[in-house]
Amino acid sequence: MFGTPEIRPLCWVEHMSLDNETGLDPCGIRVRPVSGLVAADYFAPGYFVWAVLIANLARIGYEDKTMYMAAYDWRLSFQNTEVRDQTLSRIKSNIELLVATNGGRKVVVIPHSMGVLYFLHFMKWVEAPAPMGGGGGPDWCSKHIKAVVNIGGPFLGVPKAIAGLFSAEAKDIAVARALAPGFLDNDIFQFQTLQHVMRMSRTWDSTMSMIPRGGNTIWGGLDWSPEEGNSCAKKREKKNETQIADQAGSENAVCKAKSANYGRIISFGKDVAEAPSSDIERIDFRGAIKGHSAANTTCRDVWTEYHDMGFAGIKAVAEYKTYTADSLVDLLHFVAPKMMARGTAHFSYGVADNLDDPKYKHYKYWSNPLETRLPNAPDMEIYSLYGVGLPTERAYVYKLSPHAECSIPFKIDTSADDEDTCLRDGVYSVDGDETVPVLSAGFMCAKGWRGKTRFNPSGIRTYIREYNHLPPANLLEGRGTLSGAHVDIMGNFALIEDVIRIAAGASGEELGGDQVYSKIFNWSENINLQLDEEIPVHSSS
């Protein structure tokens, strides 16, 4: 279907959209994922995804009967892949078959990107009792999984998901990557290209799995963020675990120069993004009454939920001035209530106070690592492999669109720039792989799951393996063999070597433990998150 967007764009959008009420198939349309290794070897001719890694696994003896590509419809909410396609049951059956036909040896699971969240959901689903879960019992993961090797995992979500849902503008959201070259540049839908994209992507419940999780506790507030003092350009040196500890003192002495307020994920105006919080006058949008906008017959009507907000609702959003992670979910409920009604039935974005609360048995919490426990599998290992050294979207400067009646009423202010605070074209960047910030990819393995914590009660060993991005040396290298970019890292020689060694039986210690170039351990320490199980306090008169 790769050429379809350019040849028959409206037909493509119609078939790729899901039902806006159910999040499942629209009436009369059925699109399904391809099965087998070819499902994700190449995204398009010449553009590899899993192909290089599959070829290298074949070199050490893997073949069809010892490899399984767990293809799934990435548009659906994770639980709905089971409702419609029984995808989770198929993964369970195939893992059991691989173990049974290979002498009882456990599997190595290698998820990438959203697949990382999908497999977190699977590990809870497979052990949960039917009918909500797979009925595998509390020791299923321990019996069947040797290691989970996560690549580019957005464990705690990605800020660019907010920009994609809010204004369909994030620089390289998944939907834009799925479009033919020149799709947006040619403006084949004329004035309303982005509205068509928004209408389609807002029917994909899976996009809401990427909304930042953990609120201000993880992502920072109006006046702080874990990455405070981040520098845009700094030479990286590989650090082992002892060097990481030695670095902690020097990091605290970093000059308190002008730095970005990363906790303000959306700000209306550069002045608001930079101002002291005490100087910002805000009017709460939550109780605002939405108005009505007069229909403009000169605009082709592509319905988005913004049509129901009217000018009063649009003004209320802008007058709140700046949004942190805590208020972003409320913002999306205000601007896209129909989308969020579906999404919040399947996903949650908080931090659990008490994981023994029966509500956390519901599937909406299973892909949030801050609201669920890892399985009881002390012999299992969990890796977080990801690229660093690339500017990655973290916060945005917005403005009102001058044509709000016809188009999406909010847009990134691309005129906003400031080298000192990593602000370029209206986007504040931080270290990451161009898609997932270091904080999201690394925090759980650096701190949230490190050792025995309330999120990892059995003490599953966790390892971080970072790969410092180096661009291709020449045109013959193609996308590069040392790339740290979100998709291109699948061809990174160092990452492939690590995956091959794990697949051949090596442990994390045999790989050398953590391999870190970023400040993930320092940034993780800046996050005040309860990691111990709460001990009930009893009082007597």
Side-chain angles (χ1 to χ4, degrees), residues 155-177:
F155 290 102
L156 302 177
V158 289
K160 71 174 359 176
I162 297 294
L165 293 169
F166 189 54
S167 61
E169 279 188 298
K171 288 182 178 177
D172 60 349
I173 55 173
V175 61
R177 284 195 178 276

Side-chain angles (χ1 to χ4, degrees), residues 1 20 76 83 114 155 162 181 185 204 215 219 222 249 258 287 299 315 332 357 464 484 499 511:
M1 71 170 199
N20 211 21
L76 300 178
V83 171
M114 187 190 289
F155 290 102
I162 297 294
D185 295 337
W204 298 345
W219 296 94
L222 288 177
K258 184 180 178 185
C299 302
K315 183 182 177 187
L332 291 175
D357 189 322
I464 290 176
V499 173
L511 257 61

Side-chain angles (χ1 to χ4, degrees), residues 211-513:
I211 292 173
R213 292 168 156 151
N216 292 11
T217 300
I218 298 293
W219 296 94
L222 288 177
D223 297 311
W224 81 279
S225 68
E227 309 101 325
E228 191 171 338
N230 174 61
S231 172
C232 297
K234 191 171 182 180
K235 187 176 179 182
R236 301 174 183 282
E237 296 177 2
K238 179 179 172 182
K239 300 184 279 288
N240 60 28
E241 291 161 75
T242 55
Q243 288 173 309
I244 291 162
D246 294 340
Q247 177 191 293
S250 61
E251 287 295 334
N252 293 329
V254 170
C255 175
K256 294 286 183 182
K258 184 180 178 185
S259 62
N261 295 313
Y262 288 121
R264 305 177 192 184
I265 297 178
I266 285 180
S267 298
F268 279 87
K270 183 170 178 281
D271 55 335
V272 173
E274 297 176 344
S277 59
S278 57
D279 294 349
I280 303 173
E281 295 182 11
R282 305 163 79 192
I283 300 174
D284 203 328
F285 66 94
R286 293 173 180 89
I289 298 172
K290 297 180 181 180
H292 299 284
S293 54
N296 188 327
T297 55
T298 63
C299 302
R300 282 190 291 160
D301 187 26
V302 182
W303 182 87
T304 68
E305 292 192 71
Y306 281 128
H307 287 72
D308 298 337
M309 285 183 62
F311 297 124
I314 291 166
K315 183 182 177 187
V317 168
E319 287 184 344
Y320 192 67
K321 303 289 179 63
T322 184
Y323 295 82
T324 64
D326 276 353
S327 53
L328 282 174
V329 175
D330 289 338
L331 171 66
L332 291 175
H333 273 289
F334 187 77
V335 303
K338 186 172 287 190
M339 174 190 78
M340 288 301 287
R342 293 193 327 269
T344 51
H346 288 271
F347 301 106
S348 182
Y349 311 105
V351 178
D353 292 324
N354 176 14
L355 286 166
D356 290 323
D357 189 322
K359 76 175 185 180
Y360 292 114
K361 294 180 180 179
H362 192 274
Y363 58 75
K364 68 181 286 184
Y365 301 102
W366 291 349
S367 62
N368 182 355
L370 300 173
E371 293 186 298
T372 193
R373 292 187 178 104
L374 288 176
N376 181 20
D379 295 330
M380 194 168 85
E381 294 184 330
I382 293 181
Y383 297 82
S384 188
L385 279 52
Y386 55 91
V388 295
L390 286 163
T392 304
E393 294 171 49
R394 178 64 167 83
Y396 303 88
V397 174
Y398 268 87
K399 65 180 180 179
L400 285 173
S401 168
H403 306 292
E405 209 173 283
C406 294
S407 62
I408 297 165
F410 310 109
K411 62 187 298 183
I412 294 172
D413 184 358
T414 53
S415 67
D417 286 289
D418 188 339
E419 260 186 45
D420 292 337
T421 57
C422 309
L423 175 64
R424 184 174 181 183
D425 299 327
V427 179
Y428 286 100
S429 62
V430 77
D431 197 3
D433 67 2
E434 272 187 327
T435 297
V436 183
V438 161
L439 194 66
S440 180
F443 173 77
M444 291 310 297
C445 283
K447 184 175 181 178
W449 289 331
R450 184 63 57 118
K452 286 190 177 183
T453 72
R454 66 190 183 107
F455 306 110
N456 180 19
S458 68
I460 294 172
R461 291 180 299 281
T462 62
Y463 299 95
I464 290 176
R465 304 286 292 177
E466 294 183 344
Y467 307 90
N468 193 23
H469 173 76
L470 290 174
N474 53 60
L475 291 175
L476 297 177
E477 259 193 44
R479 286 151 62 196
T481 59
L482 297 172
S483 176
H486 188 63
V487 177
D488 294 354
I489 199 171
M490 302 292 276
N492 182 300
F493 280 6
L495 178 140
I496 291 172
E497 180 181 347
D498 282 348
V499 173
I500 292 295
R501 291 181 66 190
I502 296 166
S507 67
E509 290 301 319
E510 289 169 328
L511 257 61

Side-chain angles (χ1 to χ4, degrees), residues 16-344:
M16 288 302 290
S17 298
L18 295 168
D19 185 273
N20 211 21
E21 302 287 341
T22 66
L24 296 168
D25 290 333
C27 183
I29 294 176
R30 183 169 60 193
V31 176
R32 295 292 182 268
V34 177
S35 59
L37 295 178
V38 296
D41 53 354
Y42 290 92
F43 173 70
Y47 190 94
F48 69 83
V49 182
W50 287 92
V52 177
L53 195 48
I54 291 170
N56 278 276
L57 286 166
R59 286 181 175 272
I60 64 167
Y62 279 89
E63 53 182 315
D64 274 354
K65 66 182 181 181
T66 50
M67 281 194 286
Y68 167 62
M69 177 70 76
Y72 65 102
D73 190 333
W74 44 262
R75 302 172 301 162
L76 300 178
S77 71
F78 302 157
Q79 193 71 3
N80 273 346
T81 64
E82 175 66 14
V83 171
R84 196 194 71 180
D85 301 335
Q86 295 75 54
T87 306
L88 297 170
S89 292
R90 294 172 195 273
I91 295 173
K92 176 177 181 281
S93 298
N94 276 282
I95 289 176
E96 289 171 345
L97 180 64
L98 286 171
V99 172
T101 56
N102 285 279
R105 284 178 290 174
K106 301 176 187 179
V107 300
V108 172
V109 184
I110 314 172
H112 174 251
S113 194
M114 187 190 289
V116 168
L117 301 180
Y118 188 77
F119 197 74
L120 272 179
H121 181 97
F122 171 84
M123 286 195 292
K124 294 300 289 187
W125 173 88
V126 73
E127 294 191 344
M132 191 181 293
D139 59 352
W140 191 94
C141 291
S142 180
K143 286 180 176 178
H144 293 89
I145 302 173
K146 173 188 180 287
V148 184
V149 186
N150 301 292
I151 301 175
F155 290 102
L156 302 177
V158 289
K160 71 174 359 176
I162 297 294
L165 293 169
F166 189 54
S167 61
E169 279 188 298
K171 288 182 178 177
D172 60 349
I173 55 173
V175 61
R177 284 195 178 276
L179 304 176
F183 178 70
L184 294 174
D185 295 337
N186 292 339
D187 205 12
I188 58 178
F189 290 130
Q190 302 306 317
F191 188 64
Q192 302 205 338
T193 297
L194 285 179
Q195 282 185 282
H196 279 280
V197 171
M198 175 175 281
R199 184 187 66 170
M200 173 181 64
S201 62
R202 280 191 175 181
T203 69
W204 298 345
D205 290 351
S206 62
T207 58
M208 284 168 277
S209 72
M210 309 292 268
I211 292 173
R213 292 168 156 151
N216 292 11
T217 300
I218 298 293
W219 296 94
L222 288 177
D223 297 311
W224 81 279
S225 68
E227 309 101 325
E228 191 171 338
N230 174 61
S231 172
C232 297
K234 191 171 182 180
K235 187 176 179 182
R236 301 174 183 282
E237 296 177 2
K238 179 179 172 182
K239 300 184 279 288
N240 60 28
E241 291 161 75
T242 55
Q243 288 173 309
I244 291 162
D246 294 340
Q247 177 191 293
S250 61
E251 287 295 334
N252 293 329
V254 170
C255 175
K256 294 286 183 182
K258 184 180 178 185
S259 62
N261 295 313
Y262 288 121
R264 305 177 192 184
I265 297 178
I266 285 180
S267 298
F268 279 87
K270 183 170 178 281
D271 55 335
V272 173
E274 297 176 344
S277 59
S278 57
D279 294 349
I280 303 173
E281 295 182 11
R282 305 163 79 192
I283 300 174
D284 203 328
F285 66 94
R286 293 173 180 89
I289 298 172
K290 297 180 181 180
H292 299 284
S293 54
N296 188 327
T297 55
T298 63
C299 302
R300 282 190 291 160
D301 187 26
V302 182
W303 182 87
T304 68
E305 292 192 71
Y306 281 128
H307 287 72
D308 298 337
M309 285 183 62
F311 297 124
I314 291 166
K315 183 182 177 187
V317 168
E319 287 184 344
Y320 192 67
K321 303 289 179 63
T322 184
Y323 295 82
T324 64
D326 276 353
S327 53
L328 282 174
V329 175
D330 289 338
L331 171 66
L332 291 175
H333 273 289
F334 187 77
V335 303
K338 186 172 287 190
M339 174 190 78
M340 288 301 287
R342 293 193 327 269
T344 51

